DNA sequence: CGTCCACAGGAATGACGGGCGG
DNA sequence: CCGCCCGTCATTCCTGTGGACG
C-alpha cells in the first residue's frame, strides 16, 4: 500500500468519525470513579452511615464502622458520598475534619498504609527503611500536631489483613489512647464476610462498634441504576428497555455487581458507536461481555511472572490429554520439564502449590482440594480460561513461544502412566 | 477399623534489593 | 560507609488429613 493511500484511508476514518454522531452524551457517567448524586436502593444504608458519622459535626468521635458487601454493591461510592457531604458541612462549621481513603489492595502493607496517610497529611516519610514502630510513632505525632478529627476509610480491608495480619487494626483501634489533641474514627470496608474470622475478638469488637451490610442488587434494582446512568451517559434513543434488561440480568447472575453492569453498558456503547450503529443492540451487549472477560484475562496473564506462566503452560499442555482434570503432581512434573527446556531452575513444589492458589484467586484456573482416598489428597485443577487465550498470550512471549507448539509426549518423554481418573 | 497416599498449608528462616539515619 | 529494617519471594521442615483400600 502506498503512502498516499494509507493517508487517504486514515483521513477516511477520521472523517467518518467526525461525521458520525456520537452515542455518548457523557461517557464519564459510566466510569468507576463517577459519583452520582443519588443511590437507588441504598437509602437505608446512607441514612445509617450518616447517623453514625453525624457526631463528627460537633467534634465528637463517631463510632467505628464496619461495612461489608460484595464487589459492586455500592459500598465505596456510598461512603465517599456521605463523607464528602459531611466534610462540606463540617467546613461550614468550625471543625477540622479530615478523611483518609485507603484502598488496601493497592496500598498493600501496614507500612504503606501509614506511609500513605502521612503523605496525605503533607509529611514526608521514607517509603521504606523505618521500623513499623518508628513510623507509627511519627504518624501519631503528625496526627496530634494536626489537631483534627480524622476518619480513616480502609477499603478492601480483607486484603490487608490476609497478608499482613490484624496488627495494624489493633494499633489503629487503640490509637485514641495515645493521641492527646486529635481523634481517629475508622470505617472498614470488606468484600467478604469470612474476613471477620481472621480478626482477634478484641479488634473485631472495637472495629465494628457499628456494622452494616450491603446486599447485592437484584436484577430489577440494577435496572434502576442502569437507567439512571444511561440517561446521563447516552443520547435519547440509544439504549432501550431490552439493552438495560440484558445488562442487569447478566450482572445479576454474577452476584449483583453494579460495576459489572455499568461496564457492560459502557463497552456495548463503545462497540455500537464504532460500528456506526445508531443504538445499542443485544449483540453489542453479548460482544461486550466477551470483550470484557477477554481483556481482563489478557491483562492479567501478560503480566504474570515467568514461573506462574510456566504453570499455566503446564496446565495448558495437560488439558490437551484426555484427562478430566489435573492434580498438583501432574503440573509439577510438566513444569519441571518445561524448566529444563528453558534452562531455568524450577521452584519447589511447595512454592508451585502456592502459585497455583494465587492463579486460582486470579480466576485463571480453578483449583480445589479433593481427597482421592487411598490415592492421597491433592488439588483438582482445571483451566478457567479458554486454552486458545493461553496460547495467544504466551505465543507473544519470547521465552515461551518456542515451547508452546510442543505436545505433551514430547515434553515428558514417554507418556507417563497415569492412574485412571475419568469418572 | 487402621493404614497410608499425595499432597495441603503453617512456621521459621534466608537471600536480596531498597532506603533510611547517623 | 555501616548497621538496621523494610517487603518480597523462595526454601526447608513440618504436621495434618479425607477416605479408598486391605
Amino acid at each position: 500500500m502506498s503512502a498516499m493511500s494509507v493517508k487517504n484511508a486514515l483521513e477516511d476514518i477520521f472523517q467518518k468519525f467526525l461525521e458520525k454522531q456520537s452515542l455518548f452524551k457523557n461517557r464519564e457517567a459510566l466510569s468507576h470513579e463517577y459519583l452520582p448524586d443519588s443511590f437507588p436502593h441504598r437509602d437505608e444504608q446512607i441514612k445509617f452511615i450518616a447517623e453514625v458519622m453525624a457526631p463528627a459535626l460537633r467534634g465528637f468521635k463517631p463510632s467505628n464502622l464496619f461495612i461489608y458487601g460484595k464487589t459492586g454493591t455500592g459500598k465505596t461510592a456510598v461512603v465517599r458520598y456521605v463523607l464528602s457531604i459531611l466534610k462540606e458541612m463540617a467546613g461550614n462549621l468550625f471543625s477540622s475534619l479530615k478523611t483518609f481513603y485507603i484502598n488496601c489492595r493497592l496500598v498493600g502493607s501496614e507500612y504503606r498504609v501509614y506511609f500513605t496517610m502521612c503523605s496525605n497529611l503533607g509529611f514526608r516519610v521514607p517509603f521504606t527503611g523505618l521500623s513499623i514502630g518508628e513510623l507509627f510513632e511519627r504518624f501519631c505525632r503528625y496526627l496530634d500536631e494536626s489537631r483534627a478529627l480524622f476518619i480513616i476509610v480502609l477499603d478492601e480491608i480483607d486484603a490487608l489483613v490476609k497478608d499482613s495480619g490484624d496488627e495494624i487494626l489493633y494499633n489503629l483501634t487503640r490509637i485514641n489512647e495515645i493521641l492527646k489533641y486529635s481523634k481517629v474514627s475508622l470505617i472498614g470496608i470488606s468484600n467478604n464476610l469470612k474476613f471477620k474470622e481472621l480478626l482477634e475478638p478484641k479488634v473485631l469488637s472495637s472495629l465494628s462498634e457499628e456494622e452494616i451490610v450491603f446486599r447485592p442488587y437484584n436484577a430489577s434494582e440494577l435496572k434502576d441504576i442502569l437507567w439512571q446512568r444511561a440517561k446521563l451517559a447516552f443520547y435519547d434513543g440509544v439504549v432501550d428497555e431490552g439493552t438495560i434488561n440484558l445488562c442487569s440480568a447478566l450482572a445479576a447472575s454474577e452476584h449483583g455487581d453494579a460495576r459489572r453492569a455499568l461496564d457492560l453498558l459502557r463497552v456495548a456503547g463503545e462497540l455500537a458507536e464504532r460500528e456506526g450503529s445508531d443504538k445499542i443492540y443485544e449483540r453489542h451487549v453479548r460482544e461486550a461481555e466477551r470483550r470484557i472477560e477477554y481483556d481482563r484475562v489478557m491483562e492479567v496473564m501478560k503480566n504474570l511472572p515467568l514461573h506462574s506462566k510456566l504453570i499455566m503452560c503446564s496446565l495448558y499442555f495437560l488439558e490437551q490429554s484426555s484427562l478430566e482434570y489435573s492434580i498438583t503432581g501432574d503440573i509439577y512434573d510438566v513444569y519441571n520439564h518445561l524448566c529444563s527446556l528453558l534452562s531455568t531452575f524450577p521452584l519447589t513444589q511447595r512454592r508451585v502449590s502456592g502459585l497455583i492458589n494465587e492463579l486460582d484467586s486470579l480466576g485463571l484456573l480453578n483449583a480445589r482440594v479433593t481427597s482421592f482416598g487411598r490415592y492421597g489428597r491433592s488439588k483438582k485443577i482445571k483451566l478457567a480460561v479458554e486454552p486458545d487465550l493461553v496460547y495467544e498470550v504466551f505465543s507473544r512471549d519470547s521465552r515461551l513461544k518456542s515451547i508452546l507448539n510442543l505436545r505433551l509426549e514430547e515434553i515428558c518423554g514417554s507418556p507417563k502412566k497415569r492412574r485412571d481418573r475419568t469418572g
Side-chain angles (χ1 to χ4, degrees):
Chain A
M1 208 190 272
S2 76
M4 200 52 206
S5 70
V6 171
K7 191 185 171 205
N8 286 340
L10 279 175
E11 281 172 353
D12 200 40
I13 292 171
F14 292 148
Q15 189 57 42
K16 278 202 179 124
F17 179 84
L18 286 175
E19 283 165 10
K20 216 158 48 190
Q21 169 82 286
S22 171
L23 301 183
F24 288 96
K25 189 160 58 180
N26 174 18
R27 203 177 296 247
E28 285 299 297
L30 297 176
S31 82
H32 295 170
E33 290 77 30
Y34 182 79
L35 253 196
D37 50 14
S38 76
F39 295 86
H41 308 287
R42 284 298 177 247
D43 303 341
E44 198 184 306
Q45 284 83 354
I46 290 178
K47 183 160 167 268
F48 181 82
I49 296 174
E51 279 166 2
V52 173
M53 290 299 136
L57 291 174
R58 294 196 191 280
F60 298 125
K61 182 190 108 58
S63 296
N64 292 339
L65 173 61
F66 184 53
I67 300 174
Y68 51 91
K70 298 200 167 163
T71 46
T73 49
K75 305 180 296 295
T76 305
V78 163
V79 167
R80 293 181 92 140
Y81 179 70
V82 172
L83 288 186
S84 74
I85 304 287
L86 187 72
K87 267 173 85 168
E88 204 178 297
M89 287 185 66
N92 295 338
L93 302 168
F94 69 101
S95 69
S96 45
L97 170 68
K98 296 190 179 171
T99 60
F100 296 119
Y101 172 82
I102 309 247
N103 184 321
C104 299
R105 195 152 42 147
L106 303 179
V107 172
S109 75
E110 184 172 5
Y111 191 101
R112 294 220 287 264
V113 170
Y114 296 135
F115 174 82
T116 311
M117 290 193 286
C118 287
S119 307
N120 289 353
L121 277 176
F123 293 96
R124 228 186 65 79
V125 287
F127 85 89
T128 174
L130 299 181
S131 78
I132 285 195
E134 165 72 22
L135 183 61
F136 183 68
E137 273 172 35
R138 286 197 199 185
F139 175 60
C140 291
R141 215 166 61 226
Y142 297 150
L143 285 184
D144 242 356
E145 280 173 20
S146 306
R147 293 179 186 246
L149 175 59
F150 293 91
I151 298 178
I152 303 179
V153 183
L154 296 171
D155 203 349
E156 307 202 49
I157 195 171
D158 42 325
L160 181 62
V161 171
K162 202 157 40 171
D163 39 53
S164 302
D166 62 357
E167 202 160 331
I168 179 166
L169 295 181
Y170 179 75
N171 287 331
L172 285 178
T173 48
R174 46 166 218 122
I175 195 171
N176 287 307
E177 297 160 23
I178 301 168
L179 299 177
K180 289 199 191 78
Y181 308 109
S182 292
K183 289 170 199 153
V184 171
S185 164
L186 298 173
I187 299 181
I189 304 180
S190 167
N191 290 327
N192 66 334
L193 273 154
K194 278 194 284 179
F195 161 74
K196 287 168 86 173
E197 296 163 14
L198 299 173
L199 295 180
E200 278 180 43
K202 213 197 310 182
V203 176
L204 179 61
S205 68
S206 169
L207 177 64
S208 57
E209 291 167 342
E210 302 289 349
E211 196 174 300
I212 187 168
V213 184
F214 280 57
R215 306 229 155 274
Y217 297 109
N218 61 33
S220 104
E221 291 167 341
L222 285 171
K223 263 161 65 178
D224 294 337
I225 295 170
L226 283 178
W227 269 124
Q228 175 202 27
R229 303 290 191 93
K231 279 176 188 150
L232 295 168
F234 295 104
Y235 290 106
D236 288 348
V238 173
V239 288
D240 60 19
E241 194 77 30
T243 308
I244 300 285
N245 285 352
L246 182 55
C247 290
S248 1
L250 288 174
S253 66
E254 273 195 55
H255 70 255
D257 185 343
R259 195 179 306 173
R260 177 83 191 197
L262 292 167
D263 281 343
L264 278 171
L265 192 57
R266 177 177 47 80
V267 175
E270 284 163 2
L271 290 170
E273 180 173 283
R274 203 169 312 158
E275 187 189 292
S277 170
D278 55 351
K279 58 180 299 218
I280 302 174
Y281 292 98
E282 172 174 345
R283 67 169 188 281
H284 297 126
V285 180
R286 300 278 179 202
E287 176 60 23
E289 192 187 20
R290 294 227 325 268
R291 191 61 155 269
I292 289 168
E293 175 64 5
Y294 178 88
D295 287 350
R296 193 201 120 242
V297 170
M298 279 303 220
E299 187 59 27
V300 178
M301 289 223 292
K302 215 171 52 190
N303 298 320
L304 247 28
L306 176 65
H307 289 277
S308 297
K309 282 185 178 173
L310 286 173
I311 292 168
M312 287 300 287
C313 270
S314 308
L315 188 54
Y316 168 77
F317 285 125
L318 282 161
E319 299 225 336
Q320 291 172 8
S321 75
S322 55
L323 291 176
E324 195 197 336
Y325 53 83
S326 309
I327 63 173
T328 309
D330 298 338
I331 291 189
Y332 194 63
D333 273 353
V334 182
Y335 163 82
N336 260 316
H337 282 94
L338 292 184
C339 282
S340 68
L341 284 176
L342 295 177
S343 324
T344 309
F345 287 112
L347 303 174
T348 54
Q349 178 159 332
R350 177 70 186 86
R351 182 61 187 140
V352 167
S353 170
L355 289 177
I356 289 174
N357 287 344
E358 284 173 27
L359 291 170
D360 176 87
S361 46
L362 286 173
L364 296 182
L365 50 76
N366 295 316
R368 71 169 225 279
V369 225
T370 311
S371 173
F372 303 96
R374 185 63 248 279
Y375 303 112
R377 209 161 156 268
S378 183
K379 282 196 274 259
K380 279 188 180 180
I381 304 161
K382 284 190 216 182
L383 275 179
V385 296
E386 289 297 313
D388 293 353
L389 265 183
V390 181
Y391 185 86
E392 193 176 332
V393 178
F394 293 162
S395 60
R396 291 185 206 158
D397 186 306
S398 56
R399 287 166 301 188
L400 295 179
K401 64 181 171 197
S402 61
I403 55 170
L404 210 49
N405 287 313
L406 297 175
R407 300 202 52 77
L408 189 58
E409 301 80 50
E410 301 175 67
I411 298 164
C412 302
S414 59
K416 196 181 146 193
K417 247 198 240 166
R418 286 170 187 284
R419 134 174 52 68
D420 178 38
R421 265 194 250 126
T422 45

